[in-house]
Amino acid sequence: MKILLKSSAFILVVLLLNGYKSDPQKTDLPNMDLHVHLNFEGQSLANAAMVYEKTAALSKERGVIFGIAEEFVNDNIKINDSLVLDRCTLAKKNSLYLALQVSRRDWLNIFSKDVLKKVDYILADAMIFPNKDGRMMRIWVPNAPLGEPQEFMELYVAHNLKVLAEPINIWANPTYLPDVLKTRYDELWTDARMKSLIDAAIKNNVAIEINSTFKIPNAKFIKMAKAAGARFTFGTNTHGPGAGDITWSINMAKECGLTKDDFFTPTRKL
Ligand SMILES: [Zn+2]
């Protein structure tokens, strides 16, 4: 019985070691989740300090570098600035990158220029915009007033082009489709639509996120973007413990033949 137990333990150790060996994250592609959200109870700095510490511990445990995407949408520049500066300090202290995710299209007016220079990068998606009747859509929300699919796509592509022309570094959740349109991804994302957004990202030096949570963009899009000279990042857009699970993104990057030179990485040394 003792021998049996010992050999079982041995087999378990071998299995575990092999598991680590075949870990898809063991690669020279950047082990970075540059789209991590934190779940705050309010915005108090004391609480944020604790959350940053916990997140840094998770980052170490996973062996994946985290970029924290903060969203401040106050109308008051002073309040936004002070929140950004607080988070910059926390990010530095905890060996994390600090990003600003901008969802208001007038975001350049709600932070001061000097403060914007202090964040490691700026990230934006294109998931909030008006439909043809002027009603604001949050396209991930069920029953958003999307309208007819082709018309929706025309507006969506136009809105993406607007976002991609802003001074941002990462295009997050690229090619995301609302749940009701997901099964039509291949049909709705025509080559022409893909090409126009890829060209815009390259022209403005915006990296394209390969998103593990939504499993987007598809291989066709990534290969087309790589051939055109685009750069990429890995992200989860995760609020909570799933942060850093970039397995899908890494596998996709490998499948599409990406190398570490195809990636945007923040310049600050952690
Ligand atoms: Zn996000």
Side-chain angles (χ1 to χ4, degrees):
M1 187 62 189
K2 227 178 185 180
I3 291 168
L4 189 66
L5 271 177
K6 264 190 189 164
S7 58
S8 304
F10 177 72
I11 290 166
L12 187 68
V13 167
V14 169
L15 281 175
L16 280 173
L17 284 175
N18 279 335
Y20 279 117
K21 260 186 218 156
S22 63
D23 183 346
Q25 294 186 3
K26 296 273 176 287
T27 163
D28 71 338
L29 295 169
N31 246 334
M32 294 184 184
D33 180 351
L34 294 185
H35 192 169
V36 173
H37 289 287
L38 304 178
N39 291 324
F40 284 114
E41 300 286 329
Q43 294 283 9
S44 83
L45 183 61
N47 197 25
M50 186 195 72
V51 177
Y52 268 69
E53 266 174 36
K54 278 189 181 167
T55 307
L58 182 64
S59 160
K60 276 203 192 87
E61 190 187 310
R62 289 194 171 238
V64 176
I65 290 167
F66 286 2
I68 309 302
E70 290 283 14
E71 297 177 276
F72 302 121
V73 294
N74 210 290
D75 283 324
N76 186 313
I77 295 181
K78 273 189 182 168
I79 292 175
N80 290 336
D81 280 356
S82 80
L83 286 166
V84 171
L85 293 174
D86 286 342
R87 302 305 193 263
C88 278
T89 308
L90 287 176
K92 280 182 186 158
K93 198 174 145 194
N94 289 288
S95 299
L96 299 162
Y97 288 124
L98 196 273
L100 199 55
Q101 178 161 356
V102 290
S103 51
R104 280 174 62 157
R105 302 284 50 99
D106 62 347
W107 62 272
L108 280 163
N109 303 326
I110 58 168
F111 302 95
S112 55
K113 280 200 178 75
D114 287 344
V115 165
L116 284 177
K117 281 184 200 147
K118 299 213 188 289
V119 301
D120 291 304
Y121 55 96
I122 294 173
L123 169 140
D125 63 31
M127 291 161 69
I128 305 173
F129 59 99
N131 70 6
K132 76 173 177 22
D133 303 320
R135 284 177 68 194
M136 203 51 92
M137 298 181 282
R138 289 176 155 71
I139 66 170
W140 68 95
V141 174
N143 302 319
L146 307 173
E148 192 278 322
Q150 295 298 339
E151 267 178 17
F152 165 80
M153 287 305 291
E154 293 306 314
L155 289 171
Y156 189 28
V157 169
H159 181 64
N160 272 277
L161 289 173
K162 204 171 148 189
V163 172
L164 287 169
E166 293 174 3
I168 59 169
N169 304 105
I170 298 175
W171 173 27
N173 308 322
T175 73
Y176 176 91
L177 285 181
D179 278 348
V180 289
L181 298 178
K182 262 180 195 152
T183 55
R184 294 176 65 182
Y185 186 100
D186 292 340
E187 173 211 340
L188 294 174
W189 281 112
T190 60
D191 287 7
R193 285 172 181 154
M194 286 184 175
K195 189 178 180 311
S196 72
L197 299 189
I198 289 166
D199 288 349
I202 293 169
K203 189 178 161 209
N204 197 26
N205 202 18
V206 179
I208 299 168
E209 178 179 275
I210 302 176
N211 188 292
S212 277
T213 302
F214 298 127
K215 299 184 170 48
I216 46 174
N218 70 357
K220 184 182 176 185
F221 185 98
I222 294 169
K223 285 176 187 168
M224 200 190 268
K226 174 176 163 72
R231 286 191 305 162
F232 300 88
T233 59
F234 295 141
T236 58
N237 189 28
T238 299
H239 299 250
D245 186 359
I246 51 172
T247 310
W248 183 86
S249 303
I250 288 179
N251 288 337
M252 196 52 142
K254 285 181 182 169
E255 185 190 324
C256 297
L258 304 188
T259 68
K260 68 176 190 325
D261 298 331
D262 295 314
F263 282 79
F264 162 83
T265 52
T267 49
R268 179 166 63 90
K269 258 198 147 16
L270 289 182

